[in-house]
Amino acid sequence: MSGKFITLEGGEGAGKSTVLAAVRDQLAQRGLDVVVTREPGGTPAGEAIRRVLLDPQLRGMSAECELLLMFASRAQLVRETIQPALAAGRWVLADRFTDASFAYQGGGRGQPPARILDLERWAAAGLTPDLTLLLDVPVAEGLRRANGRGAADRIEMENAEFFERVRAAYRHRAAAQPERFRTIDASRPLAEVLAQVQVVVSAFLDQSGSRTAGAGT
Ligand code: T5A
């Protein structure tokens, strides 16, 4: 079976890191060879770009510079990691991908969607996930969780209105592409969120023809 590309998306403190570990385990239990990535970052060049993007001392960065840096990191990740993994039949589980740019740089910063679409086509090689889990949480709850983790990075320093626009853009994309997106109510207790994610991923695996490891031919 060919590899599939699954992405996790959501606003600040939505619980992506927590859910990602559970999904990785679920895929591994099916005997799938999984590559995990994150953005911005995920490659040596991308991690260097991430440090620039999140540096609280660079608050004067323009929206255009931010958008291009997000896609610079993504361009490297696609070519160095994601495309080779998929070509080798491996599965890729990504902590954020291009939907985050439509939400944060598009919705949050007001960059035109057509510009982001252009970048998606050439910098991200037009790569589209097979399944995207949107962890949706009210902004105040997400920020409360994120604030419990220590000092804010450059993007976390934005105000609640910014994150409301990010959330609205994510929800708009999910509604417009129901065949790819599954929206998870991430305001629920963690155990309930994980249970809902497990059901969604199981359905996707069944639909993709994946078998439990050792379950036969
Ligand atoms: N960005 C990224 C863009 O602007 N454009 C782009 O194109 C891309 C790719 C870094 C920043 O870059 C921006 C978005 C970001 O601002 P990131 O590394 O993904 O991106 O940063 P974060 O969104 O901050 O991701 P985190 O990993 O830091 O947060 P998570 O993964 O959403 O949250 P997590 O799992 O760490 O959980 C936060 C806390 O909440 C608890 C957890 O235990 C943890 O303490 N929690 C729950 N508590 C109660 N109930 C639940 N259901 C809970 N789920 C988790």
Side-chain angles (χ1 to χ4, degrees), residues 8-20 38-41 50 53-54 66-67 69-71 73-74 95-105 109 135 137 141-142 144-149 153-156 162-163 166 170 185-194:
L8 290 183
E9 297 283 358
E12 308 300 304
K16 289 179 294 87
S17 310
T18 315
V19 168
L20 186 131
R38 74 162 178 179
E39 283 198 31
R50 179 186 177 91
L53 275 165
L54 301 186
E66 182 180 280
L67 175 63
L69 286 176
M70 290 294 176
F71 271 96
S73 171
R74 185 165 301 131
D95 188 343
R96 296 196 188 280
F97 195 60
T98 307
D99 293 307
S101 291
F102 281 99
Y104 281 81
Q105 284 66 55
R109 303 277 189 226
L135 302 183
V137 68
E141 170 63 9
R144 191 187 62 71
R145 292 180 193 168
N147 288 339
R149 290 179 311 204
D153 63 37
R154 188 181 62 83
I155 294 176
E156 287 169 344
F162 173 87
F163 293 113
V166 170
Y170 265 134
D185 180 358
S187 67
R188 311 288 303 162
L190 186 55
E192 290 181 28
V193 172
L194 293 176

Side-chain angles (χ1 to χ4, degrees), residues 75-138:
Q76 189 62 28
L77 184 68
V78 165
R79 288 158 183 80
E80 184 173 330
T81 305
I82 299 178
Q83 284 181 324
L86 293 174
R90 307 178 76 190
W91 284 51
V92 177
L93 178 57
D95 188 343
R96 296 196 188 280
F97 195 60
T98 307
D99 293 307
S101 291
F102 281 99
Y104 281 81
Q105 284 66 55
R109 303 277 189 226
Q111 288 292 293
R115 181 174 298 165
I116 303 173
L117 199 56
D118 272 350
L119 288 166
E120 179 181 31
R121 286 189 182 124
W122 69 268
L127 197 57
T128 307
D130 297 295
L131 172 69
T132 297
L133 302 180
L134 173 59
L135 302 183
D136 182 52
V137 68

